[in-house]
Amino acid sequence: MSLLVPPRRRERHPPQAAAAVEAGRAPWLGPADREVLWLYLLTRVGVWTTAYCTRWLFAADGKSRYAGSFFSSWQHWDWWHYLRIAQSGYFPDGQGPWSAGWDNREAFFPGFPFLLRAVHTVVPSWPAAGALISFVAGGVAVLALGRIARSYPPQSSRGGAGPRAALFFLLSPCAVFLAAGYTEALFLAFALPAWLAAQRQEWARAAVLVCLATTVRVSGLFLAAALAVHFLVTARALRSPGHWRRLPWLALPALPPLLQSWYLHAYTGDWMAWKHAEERGWYRDFHTPWEAWRNTWHAAFGHSQSTGYALMCQAELLTMAVGLVLCGVLLRRRRWAEAAYIALSLWALGTSYWYTSLPRATLLWWPLWTGLAVWSLRRPRVTTACLAVMAPLSTVVAVTFLSGRWAG
């Protein structure tokens, strides 16, 4: 999409915003965009080929002579929560947290399940509807990621940062979740265009997109905070009184969580029902960061868990370390808004009883993938090192998830 900026205002943008504006004036699908989409399609072929092989190699009971259905490899874990919400809502037949064997589905935000129900009216198969949502949303997300990577000068002039960021992102260890009926792809389809819009000073569009992101994941609130920080930083650079007239738009992303809390309160009498459901189902009650680190470390190396779960906990610890380094780098480079987003994500995931889903959360850390792209353009060996590590890991994680053995 293009953005026409009057000449007298263009020079007043900060350098990063000016680069984003220039990137926005490119043709709808330039050469770098097409390269990003080709990478996306090729990796989708690889992911679905892995899914096909996995359902033949890992039968449900280990003895079956028949492979599972075409979508059987994707129907695991959180998918069932989204499906149940889409099919019967949050509190079917008067059931709820007061019922025995309750699945704590109110912990999940309604954006993905409601869209799943809407798409299902056209696509009869529920798993196919979920796969279609993730496929389309993933394409939008990776295209926006490439454009964000190109917005940082001087790499934007080379045109290589976008495809490089997309490559790292699509081969990241947990990239399989972009193809699953999960929320990561849909969230990023709103979040990354929102950030691109914010870079172009399109505050109304950015706020609407962040508002949609908050219907999908609680991470949308972290993005809203980052948007507010970016607004303040931009206001200081522009020193324009008219800039502040757009401030009320920043309150819009708070609306979906407030409505969701009101809806859940009407059934449960609890304004924080979604948070308490997380505590019951996933041990996400508050603990200090050092307690969470200690508990995860004990699970990883204390021989108290099975080897598979211990390995998962080791991955959680490593991911937390990567996140802390990333946050430090962003603060050092004074990229305050992105640092705020990563810091809030780490705080939310790092203050539970132990770490859960941190590796999956890296998919939402777009500064990680754009930063790796910029770094690899300066040091070519970084590309080789990253791909040598990430490609095998992504295959292992994909097979682990598709075979139903994922635990994070």
Side-chain angles (χ1 to χ4, degrees):
M1 73 188 65
S2 62
L3 176 66
L4 300 178
V5 180
R8 62 182 178 183
R9 294 185 60 189
R10 188 178 301 157
E11 66 270 8
R12 298 187 63 186
H13 287 294
Q16 179 176 313
V21 170
E22 292 302 318
R25 295 175 66 242
W28 169 235
L29 284 180
D33 292 330
R34 290 193 291 270
E35 185 174 353
V36 164
L37 290 178
W38 272 114
L39 285 172
Y40 180 68
L41 292 175
L42 287 174
T43 54
R44 297 313 87 191
V45 171
V47 168
W48 281 94
T49 301
T50 303
Y52 175 83
C53 295
T54 301
R55 71 187 181 93
W56 281 90
L57 293 173
F58 299 95
D61 60 1
K63 301 177 181 179
S64 176
R65 298 182 182 182
Y66 301 95
S69 64
F70 184 77
F71 289 105
S72 60
S73 297
W74 299 99
Q75 300 179 64
H76 300 299
W77 311 108
D78 290 355
W79 160 255
W80 296 112
H81 292 283
Y82 301 131
L83 179 62
R84 289 166 189 150
I85 296 171
Q87 290 177 330
S88 56
Y90 279 96
F91 305 103
D93 301 323
Q95 298 182 65
W98 51 87
S99 305
W102 180 242
D103 58 7
N104 299 305
R105 67 182 69 181
E106 67 271 24
F108 298 88
F109 279 38
F112 182 85
F114 283 10
L115 182 59
L116 177 63
R117 185 176 183 88
V119 174
H120 177 64
T121 60
V122 180
V123 180
S125 168
W126 288 101
L132 179 61
I133 292 171
S134 292
F135 177 77
V136 175
V140 173
V142 76
L143 185 61
L145 177 67
R147 292 185 176 185
I148 291 173
R150 298 204 308 271
S151 70
Y152 295 102
Q155 284 71 21
S156 57
S157 61
R158 304 182 187 181
R164 195 71 61 91
L167 180 63
F168 292 148
F169 174 65
L170 294 171
L171 292 181
S172 61
C174 288
V176 66
F177 292 100
L178 295 171
Y182 275 41
T183 57
E184 279 79 2
L186 183 61
F187 175 82
L188 290 172
F190 294 133
L192 297 184
W195 193 249
L196 198 57
Q199 288 182 316
R200 299 171 182 171
Q201 316 303 312
E202 299 175 347
W203 299 109
R205 179 178 299 177
V208 170
L209 288 169
V210 175
C211 182
L212 292 172
T214 57
T215 69
V216 180
R217 295 178 66 97
V218 70
S219 307
L221 294 175
F222 311 151
L223 181 61
L227 186 69
V229 173
H230 186 58
F231 183 90
L232 295 175
V233 171
T234 305
R236 182 179 180 182
L238 293 178
R239 300 183 183 276
S240 172
H243 182 77
W244 291 99
R245 288 197 295 267
R246 300 173 178 86
L247 180 61
W249 282 105
L250 302 185
L252 184 62
L255 184 59
L258 289 175
L259 291 175
Q260 176 72 352
S261 295
W262 173 79
Y263 170 79
L264 295 178
H265 175 267
Y267 281 87
T268 65
D270 183 3
W271 287 104
M272 296 294 292
W274 66 270
K275 182 66 172 63
H276 295 150
E278 286 192 339
E279 294 174 359
R280 291 191 303 269
W282 294 270
Y283 302 100
R284 290 189 183 274
D285 51 330
F286 179 79
H287 289 262
T288 61
W290 46 92
E291 285 179 316
W293 177 276
R294 183 177 64 247
N295 293 337
T296 309
W297 184 277
H298 179 71
F301 301 106
H303 305 290
S304 61
Q305 305 292 330
S306 64
T307 55
Y309 196 84
L311 181 62
M312 288 295 304
C313 291
Q314 293 170 26
E316 300 279 353
L317 292 168
L318 178 60
T319 307
M320 174 59 76
V322 170
L324 292 172
V325 171
L326 173 62
C327 192
V329 170
L330 293 172
L331 289 172
R332 182 178 180 181
R333 296 183 178 180
R334 299 186 177 183
R335 289 164 59 177
W336 309 117
E338 290 148 302
Y341 175 75
I342 299 300
L344 289 171
S345 300
L346 292 175
W347 177 263
L349 293 171
T351 53
S352 301
Y353 178 79
W354 50 31
Y355 301 157
T356 305
S357 301
L358 266 168
R360 274 176 56 192
T362 59
L363 291 173
L364 313 182
W365 297 352
W366 78 87
L368 175 62
W369 312 117
T370 57
L372 282 176
V374 171
W375 188 23
S376 69
L377 289 172
R378 296 172 182 170
R379 299 179 179 273
R381 291 184 178 179
V382 172
T383 302
T384 303
C386 287
L387 295 182
V389 172
M390 291 193 300
L393 282 178
S394 65
T395 303
V396 171
V397 172
V399 172
T400 303
F401 170 75
L402 293 168
S403 62
R405 291 163 173 79
W406 179 262

